[in-house]
Amino acid sequence: MMYRIGIAKFIASPAVLFDLLGCAEPTEAGSEPCRIRIGPDQFLDIHVFPTQFKYDLWAEINGKVICQTGQDVPEQRDENGVRFFDAEGFLRERLGCGNACRPEWYRRNEWEDLKSDTFFVGNWGMAQSFGIRGSFPAFYCFNLLFAPGALTLCDRNVHFLHWMFPSFTCKGTIPADEYRPLMEAALSSPHQLKISDIESRLPDLYMALPYPNNCLSFGTDHGTYQISLSTPFTLSISLPDGSKTFCEFNSLESLERFLQVTSKEELDILLQKMSILGLAEVRDE
């Protein structure tokens, strides 16, 4: 039986998802040992099916998305002839930045921790589902990671969607199974959305986000946003220059104006105008 393991959690890098496909139990016929380097003198020892050993990668660097699926893992051998993959060095080369091993994950190194959070990969991105450890109540989280051009909102490229909710709001099913049709629809083809599309789908979003105080987070080429989907809408904005704002408004049409802002100066001017018109109000977080 083949497995998908996730190693992004072991390496501090811009990679949100870095999965190795074609992994196997040590006793599987046709598999061979493989040593994965995740940092200086830090390795994961696994077994893989050589012809099916591939990777999926999603990362965001300087406002740009890298999305690769089903790519062959480079074949390397160590001094003993054992298959070897320098994952940390591979990410450094592909992403153009330094990485470091996360010791809190490396020390655990349990098979359960190796299993990937990815439960669907489509032509236009990947979907992840995972729980937050140690929280009460327990929370489930979902990530939709889009390929470039997969989703635009008001002509802005959306890089990711993220939401979470407490487990007691589930309907007795495994969350990933419950949301799979939604994920497949989102990642099977490109989508171009306007504010009117979101407004028309608010009932569906309320069903998908059953917790009253829950927020939907998303990132674009020009910033990261977190919005509550109940009136008054609350919006947290983080721009690449480090500026942040938290505000309230009563109409989703206001969101389109915020999506066009690219700097703190533009954001301050917009908020001042909208405040005078009674369309938005700045709040303390």
Side-chain angles (χ1 to χ4, degrees):
M1 181 175 181
M2 284 195 297
Y3 294 93
R4 167 192 290 267
I5 69 171
I7 61 174
K9 62 175 72 75
F10 292 96
I11 305 171
S13 80
V16 176
L17 182 152
F18 189 30
D19 287 358
L20 302 180
L21 292 63
C23 302
E25 297 279 6
T27 56
E28 290 275 4
S31 68
E32 66 172 284
C34 180
R35 172 160 274 206
I36 311 296
R37 180 184 176 275
I38 58 173
D41 299 318
Q42 295 166 317
F43 303 90
L44 301 173
D45 292 307
I46 63 173
H47 276 65
V48 302
F49 294 108
T51 60
Q52 296 163 309
F53 192 33
K54 301 179 183 295
Y55 73 87
D56 291 340
L57 172 65
W58 193 97
E60 186 178 19
I61 306 174
N62 299 325
K64 302 298 182 182
V65 166
I66 295 175
C67 182
Q68 300 176 338
T69 61
Q71 302 296 305
D72 291 331
V73 174
E75 183 172 357
Q76 302 166 291
R77 300 282 171 175
D78 65 14
E79 62 276 9
N80 299 314
V82 176
R83 184 153 191 157
F84 174 81
F85 177 45
D86 183 0
E88 187 268 341
F90 178 83
L91 286 181
R92 190 188 318 110
E93 178 184 338
R94 290 300 172 97
L95 306 183
C97 56
N99 312 301
C101 177
R102 289 192 172 106
E104 69 276 16
W105 280 100
Y106 179 72
R107 283 194 296 268
R108 291 157 60 152
N109 193 8
E110 300 171 358
W111 176 248
E112 195 64 30
D113 293 328
L114 285 173
K115 290 182 179 178
S116 171
D117 297 319
T118 307
F119 72 91
F120 181 75
V121 176
N123 295 328
W124 292 90
M126 305 93 153
Q128 295 178 310
S129 170
F130 52 93
I132 297 181
R133 295 174 180 267
S135 64
F136 183 81
F139 274 81
Y140 288 114
C141 300
F142 283 90
N143 281 337
L144 271 176
L145 306 173
F146 295 102
L151 176 64
T152 60
L153 176 60
C154 302
D155 300 320
R156 295 300 191 197
N157 282 305
V158 176
H159 297 175
F160 67 86
L161 293 176
H162 172 82
W163 69 97
M164 57 188 290
F165 55 87
S167 57
F168 61 74
T169 60
C170 295
K171 304 173 183 177
T173 58
I174 299 173
D177 294 338
E178 185 177 334
Y179 282 81
R180 189 179 182 92
L182 175 66
M183 306 301 189
E184 290 181 350
L187 299 174
S188 61
S189 61
H191 303 273
Q192 297 178 339
L193 302 181
K194 300 296 184 184
I195 295 299
S196 58
D197 296 314
I198 297 179
E199 290 178 320
S200 67
R201 298 178 187 181
L202 274 178
D204 296 328
L205 287 170
Y206 291 146
M207 292 291 291
L209 303 169
Y211 191 44
N213 298 322
N214 200 11
C215 294
L216 178 69
S217 300
F218 62 96
T220 73
D221 298 334
H222 298 292
T224 302
Y225 310 82
Q226 185 179 73
I227 184 170
S228 67
L229 296 176
S230 57
T231 308
F233 302 103
T234 59
L235 178 68
S236 174
I237 306 170
S238 299
L239 299 179
D241 62 8
S243 55
K244 296 182 179 181
T245 296
F246 186 73
C247 61
E248 284 187 357
F249 49 89
N250 290 313
S251 171
L252 275 179
E253 292 180 359
S254 299
L255 177 60
E256 183 169 4
R257 296 185 175 95
F258 288 113
L259 291 175
Q260 308 309 313
V261 168
T262 60
S263 69
K264 177 174 173 38
E265 181 181 7
E266 291 179 5
L267 181 59
D268 289 343
I269 293 173
L270 176 62
L271 284 169
Q272 185 178 23
K273 290 181 178 179
M274 294 183 70
S275 180
I276 292 173
L277 295 172
L279 298 177
E281 185 175 354
V282 178
R283 296 288 191 187
D284 293 328
E285 290 196 61

